[in-house]
Each structure stands twice: as structure tokens, then as C-alpha cells.
Amino acid sequence: MHTSSDGGPALFRLVRHWARQWAPDVVERFAADAPPSWTVPNLFVIQAVDGAAVDEVTVADVARQLGIDRSVASRMVSEAARDGFVVRSTSTRDARRAVLTLTDTAKEFLDASRAHQRQAFEALVGHWPAEDRERFAGYLSRLADEVLG
């Protein structure tokens, strides 16, 4: 029998479930008419650039955010740039560094992704009392902030 304080097993059951659900066709699930460039790797790059807590985001920041090797991040960023989601420019602080910024197209993709995430959350806990939903959302945000920085 599980107790409410026995969160570890429940957390890992959910992680396994979502790992199986997070397939390459995930974008098609929330945007049936999405352009071919709306891919999971491009979304990962967009989210990493958006979530980096620095003024000038670099490929190294994307690699750190995604927990991947810098060379892999560089290839992903190049693909996102080719697809029109990221613009590389020269750093104002160090001319040797390339700085990444999101395009309006990237922001549209990110907004669609966030809308899907909100809908998924509501589908899971929408039947809970509003106070429980808000408390759980707060705890999830707190956990993400603590784990991911």
C-alpha cells in the first residue's frame, strides 16, 4: 500500500509513463497542421534558449540546459537556425562568442507547446478541486525550479 508521503515510486511511475508517451510524433498531437520544422529537437532548443537564465544565451548554455554534449547542442542549434527558430549573432561582450535569440516563429511554436502543456495538465487534474490543482501546480513548479535551477 502506498502512502501520500511515498512520492518516490509514484514519481518514477509517472516518469516512465511520460517517457513512453514522449515520442517524435508528440508535436503532431498538439498541432495537427504544424509545419514540418516543428520537431521535438527544435522545440528542445527553443525551450533551452527561452529557459536559460543569462542575458546572452550560447550553445554551451543550450547544452547545459538539455544535459547534452556541446557538439550535439551545436548541431541541434544549427538545425533550429536553419529552420528559422534561432538567430545567431555576435556577443556585445565578446566578439568570439555567438549569441542565440529566438525568432517570432520560435515564440509561436513555444506558445503552442505551452498551450498543449496546460491542456495536458488540465486533462490530468482538471477534476480536482481548484485549490488542489493550484497547490499541485505550485509544488511542481517548485520542484522543477529546485532540480533544474
Side-chain angles (χ1 to χ4, degrees), residues 108-121:
E108 179 184 333
F109 190 3
L110 187 60
D111 288 346
S113 171
R114 287 181 176 155
H116 172 71
Q117 292 165 356
R118 283 189 291 277
Q119 289 168 354
F121 183 81

Side-chain angles (χ1 to χ4, degrees), residues 66-137:
L66 298 178
I68 58 176
D69 183 78
R70 193 179 182 289
S71 64
V72 174
S74 181
R75 285 191 296 275
M76 290 174 69
V77 166
S78 292
E79 184 176 312
R82 182 200 69 215
D83 289 343
F85 296 116
V86 176
V87 174
R88 289 181 193 245
S89 58
T90 303
S91 168
T92 57
R93 296 184 195 145
D94 182 348
R96 298 170 295 176
R97 291 174 37 155
V99 176
L100 309 173
T101 54
L102 296 179
T103 64
D104 288 342
T105 305
K107 292 172 186 169
E108 179 184 333
F109 190 3
L110 187 60
D111 288 346
S113 171
R114 287 181 176 155
H116 172 71
Q117 292 165 356
R118 283 189 291 277
Q119 289 168 354
F121 183 81
E122 281 302 311
L124 290 170
V125 298
H127 62 285
W128 292 6
E131 183 179 310
D132 289 349
R133 287 194 314 269
E134 290 170 20
R135 185 179 300 120
F136 185 55

Side-chain angles (χ1 to χ4, degrees), residues 12-13 22 26 40 46 50 53 59 67 70 79 93 123 141 148:
F12 280 82
R13 281 194 346 255
W22 187 262
V26 70
V40 171
I46 292 165
D50 182 67
V59 170
R70 193 179 182 289
E79 184 176 312
R93 296 184 195 145
S141 294
L148 305 173

